[in-house]
Amino acid sequence: MVRFKHRYLLCEVVSDDPRCRLTLEDRVLGTLVRDTIARVHGTFGAAACSIGFAVRYLNAYTGIVLLRCRKEFYRLVWSALPFITYLENKGHRYPCFLNTLHVGGTIRTCQKFLIQYNRRQLLILLQNCTDEGEREAIQKSVTKSCLLEEESAGEELSDSGGEETAEPME
Amino acid sequence: MPAPATTYERIVYKNPSEYHYMKVRLEFQDGGVGLNAAQFKQLLISALKELFGEVDAALPLDVLTYEEKTLSAILRICSSGLVKLWSSLTLLGSYKGKNCAFRVIQVSPFLLALSGNSRELVLN
């Protein structure tokens, strides 16, 4: 069949600084990844990867990024991600790194993985949290997610309980 | 009397040499430019870095011999990097603002083949 095949890289931005995630913007991240590929893989890599390259999804609260690239050159993009060491926005530089969680062929498979990953992260947060109010909020989110799983609604979880306790995770 | 049964052993030799050797010469458009061995290697690595980035600029490349008068050299590169090196030499256009070009004279996976070239054979 004649169509352009892509690979979707699901990554997480990990940083010590809590302000780093809030300054995430898709254009800033897109130019940062393109410049890093040009540095690491040269003119050839920059040209090959930037044809089908796009930042498809960005969540500033959880730091999840979905990058798209052509199937023939996804390895060049993937190998350039560890060379990203900082995020620069409005003159402020935050050290961070990109952790690749999943590589999928379609957005739907990445979404399914992200839902399962978020459920597992909620349980880990429940174990690590110290405050009683936060514990109740997370338990409520966990039961809600279990109900949703039984209903098999298949919608993505954006949990507010997880955002407040984002710091103890890192 | 029947012939004794012979056992055959098949050896397949698939070019296991890990390195390729290239004989190259650097030509300047105006001439009269000298480079020492370190500058020559720096030029090769910068050509690789421009086209293929930092990852391939770190390929194990060796300059085995270098003659400053004729600006010719014998290079050794691992076989997986031969195509990258050759294409980056092709696309190298200038050194410090002066136009130049690499002429690739001979390429072989065996170093001994570079010692004799049938094109330079003199028949009398």
Side-chain angles (χ1 to χ4, degrees):
Chain A
M1 283 271 79
V2 195
R3 69 181 171 107
F4 285 120
K5 299 199 176 174
H6 299 277
R7 285 286 176 264
Y8 290 87
L9 293 166
L10 189 68
C11 313
E12 183 188 1
V13 178
V14 179
S15 165
D16 291 330
D17 201 346
R19 294 171 294 172
C20 174
R21 283 182 178 171
L22 299 172
T23 59
L24 269 181
E25 272 172 44
D26 53 352
R27 246 170 304 207
V28 166
L29 193 71
T31 45
L32 178 66
V33 174
R34 265 181 239 252
D35 292 340
T36 311
I37 294 175
R39 180 168 55 103
V40 174
H41 291 297
T43 337
F44 171 75
C49 300
S50 68
I51 293 181
F53 180 75
V55 179
R56 271 321 201 181
Y57 170 76
L58 183 62
N59 190 336
Y61 295 113
T62 55
I64 299 285
V65 177
L66 188 68
L67 304 169
R68 177 191 73 176
C69 53
R70 285 281 160 90
K71 180 178 154 187
E72 290 89 17
F73 302 111
Y74 81 99
R75 273 189 233 102
L76 290 179
V77 176
W78 198 356
S79 61
L81 292 183
F83 289 85
I84 297 178
T85 50
Y86 63 87
L87 253 175
E88 184 147 1
N89 197 2
K90 297 190 200 78
H92 289 291
R93 196 176 269 216
Y94 306 106
C96 66
F97 66 92
L98 286 184
N99 194 16
T100 306
L101 304 171
H102 187 245
V103 177
T106 55
I107 298 188
R108 196 171 299 168
T109 54
C110 291
Q111 189 184 30
K112 277 195 235 172
F113 175 83
L114 189 60
I115 293 174
Q116 289 174 356
Y117 179 76
N118 281 345
R119 282 208 192 97
R120 271 183 266 136
Q121 293 298 95
L122 269 183
L123 293 175
I124 295 176
L125 276 178
L126 190 58
Q127 278 179 350
N128 293 353
C129 77
T130 50
D131 193 13
E132 197 49 50
E134 287 173 358
R135 189 179 285 270
E136 283 178 21
I138 295 182
Q139 272 178 344
K140 216 169 28 169
S141 307
V142 169
T143 46
K144 200 167 61 167
S145 77
C146 291
L147 284 175
L148 276 174
E149 191 177 359
E150 285 173 16
E151 286 175 10
S152 67
E155 55 187 354
E156 199 165 63
L157 269 173
S158 53
D159 42 326
S160 54
E163 289 154 25
E164 297 158 15
T165 52
E167 276 82 81
M169 259 303 298
E170 270 69 55
Chain B
M1 181 173 155
T6 48
T7 54
Y8 290 98
E9 188 183 333
R10 189 167 147 236
I11 301 176
V12 178
Y13 192 69
K14 256 185 171 175
N15 186 19
S17 74
E18 315 162 354
Y19 297 105
H20 268 75
Y21 300 87
M22 293 174 78
K23 195 193 277 192
V24 297
R25 197 179 73 233
L26 180 59
E27 266 184 22
F28 279 92
Q29 190 183 34
D30 304 325
V33 183
L35 279 90
N36 63 13
Q39 288 171 328
F40 188 77
K41 185 158 188 195
Q42 161 69 18
L43 179 63
L44 294 175
I45 292 187
S46 67
L48 269 173
K49 188 189 280 204
E50 189 186 329
L51 188 58
F52 288 107
E54 289 182 3
V55 165
D56 285 317
L59 279 173
L61 162 72
D62 298 308
V63 178
L64 296 179
T65 61
Y66 178 66
E67 284 172 42
E68 194 165 334
K69 225 166 30 165
T70 56
L71 290 175
S72 63
I74 296 187
L75 312 174
R76 178 181 78 165
I77 184 100
C78 59
S79 299
S80 55
L82 174 70
V83 175
K84 297 185 175 165
L85 176 66
W86 202 340
S87 55
S88 58
L89 289 182
T90 308
L91 291 176
L92 182 71
S94 65
Y95 171 69
K96 283 190 183 166
K98 302 188 196 75
N99 293 341
C100 66
F102 267 96
R103 307 285 181 218
V104 175
I105 302 172
Q106 212 177 349
V107 177
S108 166
F110 308 110
L111 188 53
L112 195 57
L114 296 183
S115 66
N117 191 2
S118 61
R119 290 183 190 174
E120 293 163 7
L121 203 58
V122 171
L123 296 167
N124 45 352

